[in-house]
Amino acid sequence: MLKYKSLKDFLDEQKQQELYKKRLAEKLYYTVKKGTSEEILSVFKHCSESGLDFKQVKHDYLLEYFDTFRSGYNKPSILITRLIISYQKIISVKAIQSFYNNIYYRHLLDDEELIELTSLIIKD
């Protein structure tokens, strides 16, 4: 049994899926900037289920995540950082600078957590 009645139906569904992935990428961008760890995990789960290709996404999620700690009130999550790195794969120079400016120099983490997070960000 065929799933589509015509080529137009197939192309329409493909277009809808691409629009959905684009909306998810935008949602993740804003969630990483202002959301809680649970919200970020939830959106990442939806992105993973949709098959979103992070190579085609224009946002630097790691940079945005580190920039949220500018105020210094919250502690970054190593789990969220690992998750972002695993999907994004590329760590930009701006993200590294943001890590140092907003987390490292502000001493938001204890020494053990700082060493672990630094080893994720700075690779030889």
Side-chain angles (χ1 to χ4, degrees):
M1 178 186 264
L2 295 175
K3 183 176 178 180
Y4 305 102
K5 294 181 180 179
S6 67
L7 180 59
K8 183 184 179 314
D9 292 343
F10 172 75
L11 293 174
D12 286 345
E13 184 172 319
Q14 293 298 319
K15 185 177 179 181
Q16 291 298 322
Q17 288 177 357
E18 290 303 314
L19 288 173
Y20 176 68
K21 290 176 185 179
K22 187 176 180 180
R23 285 192 306 271
L24 272 178
E26 290 296 318
K27 182 178 181 180
L28 181 60
Y29 174 75
Y30 290 107
T31 305
V32 164
K33 286 179 76 160
K34 299 189 188 260
T36 65
S37 293
E38 293 81 19
E39 292 169 336
I40 295 170
L41 287 172
S42 174
V43 175
F44 260 112
K45 181 180 177 193
H46 291 298
C47 290
S48 177
E49 290 170 351
S50 75
L52 179 65
D53 184 8
F54 283 86
K55 293 176 186 171
Q56 297 177 347
V57 176
K58 63 181 178 180
H59 301 296
D60 187 347
Y61 297 111
L62 196 59
L63 170 64
E64 296 304 326
Y65 183 65
F66 290 153
D67 278 350
T68 62
F69 300 102
R70 223 178 261 162
S71 62
Y73 297 119
N74 298 330
K75 287 176 55 174
S77 166
I78 294 174
L79 175 67
I80 298 297
T81 305
R82 282 180 192 264
L83 185 63
I84 294 171
I85 291 171
S86 71
Y87 278 100
Q88 191 169 304
K89 304 229 189 287
I90 297 172
I91 301 173
S92 69
V93 172
K94 288 184 178 183
I96 293 170
Q97 290 171 337
S98 180
F99 164 72
Y100 278 112
N101 291 335
N102 299 321
I103 298 168
Y104 187 85
Y105 295 130
R106 293 176 186 254
H107 305 289
L108 294 181
L109 300 170
D110 61 27
D111 289 340
E112 190 175 297
E113 291 173 321
L114 191 60
I115 290 169
E116 185 176 352
L117 193 57
T118 304
S119 69
L120 290 172
I121 305 302
I122 310 300
K123 297 182 180 176
D124 296 329

